[in-house]
Amino acid sequence: MRLTRYFLPVLKENPAEAQIVSHRLMLRAGMIRQASAGIYSWLPLGFKVLRNLENIVHEEQIRAGHIPMLMPTLQSADLWRESGRYDAYGPEMLRITDRHGRDMLYGPTNEELITDIFRNSVRSYKDLPLTLYHIQWKFRDEIRPRFGVMRGREFYMKDGYNFDIDRDSAIHAYNRHMVSYLRTYERMGLKAIPMRADSGPIGGDDTHEFLVLADTGESEVFYDSAILDLKLGERAIDYDDRAQCAAIREEWTTPYARTDETHDEALFHQQVPEERRRSSRAIEVGQIFYFGTKYSEPMKATVVNDKGEHVPVHMGSHGIGVSRLVGALIEAFHDDRGIIWPESVTPFRVGIVNLKQGDSAADAACESLYRELTAAGLEPLYDDREERAGAKFATMDLIGLPWRITVGPRGLKAGVVELTSRKTGQSEELKPADAIARLGELYSGL
RNA sequence: CGGGCUAUAGCGCAGUCUGGUAGCGCGUUCGUCUGGGGGACGAGAGGUCGCAGGUUCGAAUCCUGCUAGCCCGACCA
């Protein structure tokens, strides 16, 4: 993409309403604009990041054997009356009446709808296990939206629902989700810690939240620093292997890690030596639940088991806040000049800065780099504006592309361009072809 | 929902107390010079002063009502 043909309305000054760094940077980098309280338009740059995150989530869900679908944002109140949550959910649920006077709602979550779909189509235990998910906009009419997309009223969320014949099988689904979530966050470059949590209005017995440590987080957390060393890395995972998934859950949930809701100071001291005790702020980016037959019983979602008996299915639900993750990533990866995207989620893989627009050698070198990077799938953003070097650098630093190729007459005389890491600020001078090859290596596997 | 605050050009703000030609910085447009970290000079464009009503010869400014947004708290992916 050429910057002169893109839509990137960056701001030099901080908008007054933005208090925390991710909100400020998303506004300044032209990623979002507020439409009303807690509701945002996603401008092209922000939309690209959102899509990248969504793709990672899809890939990891599908890898775990979960099946994508799409449910509507608007739902009928009838199903919610059936589960008893129409009244229980309270004013946080946005209620709407259609022209016929029917009660509708903008879905804050989808347990009822998915359970309805399931019970109308699945009859036999032979169709289980089944995990369906979708990524869809949700609306929760928060009392006080804030922090930009981290705490919006409208938000984009992956929510999935597993249906299993018995508790053991549903617990495997729970463990499998934990593993796939760990992998998802790891791919985004994030360290997300599963913590024992409260189940809240969704209800259930077993639940973990995934938290990313950040000073601006809304939750207070307590954990054993040893958990920070855990990594899935490249290990082969068989999502059908119950023992392996259970072992990974064990590995990640053995070290003490709890939110303030479930924190037990005495237990914390008993289990964790003082030098490894940590407390911090953190951002919740996902949660998994096992809730057994809480919805299947009232909504009569049953299957026939191998003995010919009708039994309610065991369910769980699992969510990843995709739009919130954009904010969480920025909270985790930024400096005083702007955002620093991990390679796996960056909106463009490399920025090309032409230091002297209009200089025939510089222009030609940039055009050729632009063509070749594009052809190599290394999606570049070419700053071809008539701006001075400083302004171009400032823009690149702000929007946070991990790599930058700087092209100027001075270097071109020696036949080199400069490849710079946004993260470290370190540069190396390379021939253009070598810079492209180097970027190919840096992005291999992504 | 309790407490605090804000609303004036795309963004950041002054002007409101004490009513009288709507301003500044950044951005933006055109031109010239510049050219390796938000450059300089010159010339422009851009505003129903959140909305409605009232007081007044005259309202961004005073009065009344409303709306929207932000911050702290309780609540939440």
Side-chain angles (χ1 to χ4, degrees):
Chain A
M1 181 58 64
R2 292 166 197 279
L3 195 42
T4 54
R5 300 205 188 159
Y6 199 49
F7 180 63
L8 185 71
V10 300
L11 303 174
K12 210 164 161 177
E13 289 172 278
N14 283 321
E17 78 265 20
Q19 299 301 311
I20 66 164
V21 65
S22 61
H23 191 193
R24 270 205 309 272
L25 290 173
M26 287 183 78
L27 288 166
R28 285 196 53 207
M31 295 177 68
I32 54 168
R33 284 292 180 270
Q34 181 166 309
S36 63
I39 302 178
Y40 292 86
S41 296
W42 291 76
L43 306 188
L45 193 75
F47 185 57
K48 280 190 79 121
V49 175
L50 188 68
R51 280 281 174 266
N52 289 346
L53 297 183
E54 181 183 356
N55 287 340
I56 291 175
V57 171
H58 271 302
E59 284 174 19
E60 292 305 326
Q61 286 303 300
I62 289 166
R63 197 199 298 267
H66 307 157
I67 302 169
M69 60 180 293
L70 185 62
M71 286 177 271
T73 53
L74 293 178
Q75 304 179 25
S76 160
D78 294 347
L79 286 173
W80 286 70
R81 293 203 174 95
E82 205 178 325
S83 71
R85 285 208 296 180
Y86 191 65
D87 297 321
Y89 222 94
E92 203 176 276
M93 185 154 77
L94 181 64
R95 294 146 206 264
I96 301 162
T97 308
D98 73 7
R99 66 194 300 167
H100 302 295
R102 283 188 287 247
D103 292 328
M104 312 283 292
L105 56 97
Y106 197 119
T109 175
N110 289 65
E111 279 86 359
E112 284 78 1
L113 199 47
I114 194 75
T115 306
D116 185 53
I117 290 166
F118 176 87
R119 71 182 172 185
N120 287 330
S121 311
V122 178
R123 297 276 175 272
S124 164
Y125 76 98
K126 289 178 184 167
D127 296 321
L128 305 183
L130 179 65
T131 296
L132 298 167
Y133 79 94
H134 72 160
I135 303 181
Q136 176 62 294
W137 291 95
K138 304 286 187 292
F139 194 93
R140 293 184 193 172
D141 199 358
E142 299 283 341
I143 299 165
R144 191 184 155 213
R146 60 186 131 171
F147 303 149
V149 300
M150 300 251 290
R151 184 64 185 288
R153 293 194 292 170
E154 188 184 48
F155 57 98
Y156 202 47
M157 179 174 148
K158 173 260 162 182
D159 48 318
Y161 306 88
N162 69 280
F163 302 91
D164 286 272
I165 188 64
D166 55 24
R167 190 175 187 284
D168 282 354
S169 172
I171 292 294
H172 170 57
Y174 186 91
N175 298 343
R176 190 177 67 231
H177 277 86
M178 183 175 287
V179 177
S180 71
Y181 276 28
L182 288 170
R183 191 158 171 162
T184 300
Y185 297 123
E186 222 171 88
R187 266 188 72 181
M188 295 172 183
L190 285 172
K191 180 72 77 181
I193 306 171
M195 301 198 182
R196 180 170 299 282
D198 257 354
S199 55
I202 293 179
D205 312 322
D206 236 330
T207 178
H208 280 87
E209 290 180 345
F210 292 77
L211 290 112
V212 173
L213 302 178
D215 293 340
T216 46
E218 292 189 87
S219 315
E220 189 173 15
V221 299
F222 303 84
Y223 62 97
D224 178 343
S225 65
I227 202 165
L228 298 176
D229 302 328
L230 298 177
K231 209 174 174 211
L232 281 176
E234 297 299 311
R235 72 176 91 170
I237 289 163
D238 177 357
Y239 282 107
D240 289 329
D241 184 338
R242 291 190 178 200
Q244 187 191 22
C245 290
I248 292 172
R249 170 179 173 175
E250 189 68 16
E251 189 180 348
W252 257 268
T253 54
T254 299
Y256 188 96
R258 294 192 180 194
T259 67
D260 52 358
E261 294 169 336
T262 54
H263 177 59
D264 179 336
E265 191 71 18
L267 191 66
F268 189 39
H269 282 247
Q270 184 192 320
Q271 288 189 357
V272 187
E274 190 177 354
E275 69 276 11
R276 297 213 313 254
R277 277 180 225 144
R278 301 278 190 281
S279 78
S280 162
R281 306 295 297 181
I283 302 162
E284 187 190 339
V285 293
Q287 188 161 9
I288 55 178
F289 301 88
Y290 163 71
F291 45 66
T293 58
K294 179 185 163 79
Y295 295 93
S296 55
E297 273 189 69
M299 295 187 68
K300 300 186 172 54
T302 61
V303 293
V304 174
N305 69 12
D306 59 0
K307 298 180 185 66
E309 302 159 339
H310 290 265
V311 294
V313 291
H314 284 249
M315 294 174 60
S317 75
H318 332 88
I320 293 180
V322 180
S323 49
R324 170 180 283 189
L325 269 168
V326 179
L329 277 157
I330 295 171
E331 291 294 332
F333 304 115
H334 69 273
D335 62 18
D336 55 1
R337 297 199 307 270
I339 303 166
I340 307 172
W341 293 115
E343 273 92 349
S344 55
V345 307
T346 184
F348 294 94
R349 292 189 157 188
V350 55
I352 304 171
V353 168
N354 186 344
L355 291 174
K356 195 169 181 181
Q357 208 71 40
D359 177 277
S360 58
D363 288 0
C366 286
E367 287 297 331
S368 140
L369 270 168
Y370 180 66
R371 250 191 335 269
E372 287 167 38
L373 285 164
T374 303
L378 293 164
E379 200 178 11
L381 179 66
Y382 171 25
D383 190 344
D384 57 344
R385 296 173 302 166
E386 281 288 344
E387 287 284 350
R388 298 168 63 89
K392 292 188 177 188
F393 289 143
T395 298
M396 282 297 173
D397 288 346
L398 175 63
I399 69 172
L401 308 186
W403 297 95
R404 184 184 84 210
I405 296 182
T406 310
V407 179
R410 194 184 294 170
L412 287 176
K413 275 183 192 144
V416 297
V417 296
E418 213 173 290
L419 181 66
T420 307
S421 159
R422 173 68 181 84
K423 195 181 191 166
T424 65
Q426 289 182 340
S427 294
E428 52 180 322
E429 296 199 326
L430 296 165
K431 289 183 193 142
D434 294 337
I436 295 169
R438 181 98 182 81
L439 282 165
E441 289 161 25
L442 289 162
Y443 278 103
S444 68
L446 285 177

